[in-house]
């Protein structure tokens, strides 16, 4: 009988220790995720405020700002047209998919067209970046690289590391 009590006591101690370890792990991970989220600064770049955003991040001169505005207008015109075409192609795909007898060749053609338009968007984005890079000095180029990396990886949510750009240096 004493042996059973001893075994049960050890089992209780082991279970208690594993529960404590689990609670500590959950608290540590929750705290770590919260801390990482608070360290990130997400700044949305609405299309209508892109000029001001880039000006603040890159500290553009008046001449640079004028060149940026011209490039930005051209970029917006080109991308708006392509985005509209892609939207129409996606609508055609949905329409074809919902038909009783979908035409797989048409679906494949539409998919290729969307891929081609997506490629065109990437090329236009690359050209825009290269134009921006050309008008920037070396310090501005470093910040531009951070902004574009975040734009391309974050679907237009800019996560600028602390200490980068004029806006964040004011803290």
């Amino acid at each position: 009988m004493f042996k059973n009590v001893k075994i049960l006591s050890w089992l209780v101690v082991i279970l208690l220790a594993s529960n404590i370890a689990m609670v500590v792990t959950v608290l540590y991970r929750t705290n770590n995720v919260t801390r990482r989220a608070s360290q990130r600064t997400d700044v949305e770049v609405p299309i209508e405020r892109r000029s001001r955003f880039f000006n603040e991040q890159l500290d553009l001169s008046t001449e640079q700002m004028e060149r940026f505005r011209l490039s930005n207008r051209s970029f917006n015109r080109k991308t708006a047209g392509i985005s509209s075409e892609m939207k129409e192609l996606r609508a055609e795909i949905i329409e074809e998919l919902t038909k009783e007898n979908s035409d797989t060749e048409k679906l494949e053609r539409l998919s290729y067209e969307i891929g081609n338009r997506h490629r065109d968007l990437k090329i236009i984005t690359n050209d825009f970046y290269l134009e921006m890079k050309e008008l920037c000095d070396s310090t501005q180029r470093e910040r531009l690289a951070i902004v574009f990396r975040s734009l391309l990886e974050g679907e237009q949510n800019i996560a600028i590391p602390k200490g980068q750009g004029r806006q964040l240096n004011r803290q």
Side-chain angles (χ1 to χ4, degrees):
M1 174 101 155
F2 182 71
K3 189 175 180 180
N4 288 340
V5 170
K6 193 173 182 181
I7 292 173
L8 289 176
S9 296
W10 276 109
L11 283 175
V12 167
V13 168
I14 291 170
L15 288 173
L16 184 63
S18 68
N19 283 338
I20 290 172
M22 181 187 65
V23 168
V24 168
T25 302
V26 167
L27 290 175
Y28 174 78
R29 286 191 172 265
T30 304
N31 187 27
N32 208 13
V33 167
T34 305
R35 189 175 333 124
R36 267 190 267 138
S38 68
Q39 287 175 345
R40 235 180 103 183
T41 306
D42 286 344
V43 181
E44 265 195 51
V45 186
I47 291 172
E48 63 274 3
R49 294 193 201 135
R50 187 178 293 147
S51 295
R52 184 174 8 155
F53 174 80
F54 275 97
N55 188 27
E56 288 175 352
Q57 293 302 315
L58 303 176
D59 194 17
L60 298 172
S61 70
T62 305
E63 181 185 329
Q64 288 174 316
M65 193 61 199
E66 189 55 40
R67 288 176 57 199
F68 168 78
R69 282 191 180 109
L70 292 172
S71 293
N72 191 43
R73 281 185 201 122
S74 174
F75 174 77
N76 287 339
R77 274 192 304 272
K78 292 174 186 174
T79 57
I82 293 173
S83 294
S84 177
E85 291 173 13
M86 289 175 69
K87 185 177 181 179
E88 290 172 14
L89 289 167
R90 283 192 288 272
E92 282 185 60
I93 286 178
I94 291 171
E95 185 179 315
E96 189 62 37
L97 286 171
T98 57
K99 287 182 178 178
E100 188 67 34
N101 295 314
S102 299
D103 182 352
T104 55
E105 287 179 20
K106 182 176 182 180
L107 288 168
E108 190 172 311
R109 182 183 54 77
L110 291 169
S111 297
Y112 278 114
E113 283 300 313
I114 288 176
N116 288 335
R117 298 296 178 271
H118 191 254
R119 182 196 66 230
D120 294 344
L121 277 176
K122 293 302 177 189
I123 290 169
I124 291 168
T125 302
N126 295 341
D127 291 344
F128 179 65
Y129 176 82
L130 292 173
E131 286 178 29
M132 288 296 302
K133 185 175 148 185
E134 190 175 303
L135 71 88
C136 291
D137 64 28
S138 60
T139 304
Q140 291 169 326
R141 284 181 182 157
E142 291 174 18
R143 292 187 297 222
L144 178 67
I146 293 168
V147 169
F148 258 84
R149 187 174 295 118
S150 296
L151 278 171
L152 295 175
E153 292 172 357
E155 295 182 24
Q156 297 201 3
N157 285 331
I158 304 297
I160 306 293
K162 289 188 184 266
Q164 298 292 325
R166 261 179 55 199
Q167 186 178 37
L168 296 173
N169 285 337
R170 292 186 198 144
Q171 293 176 349

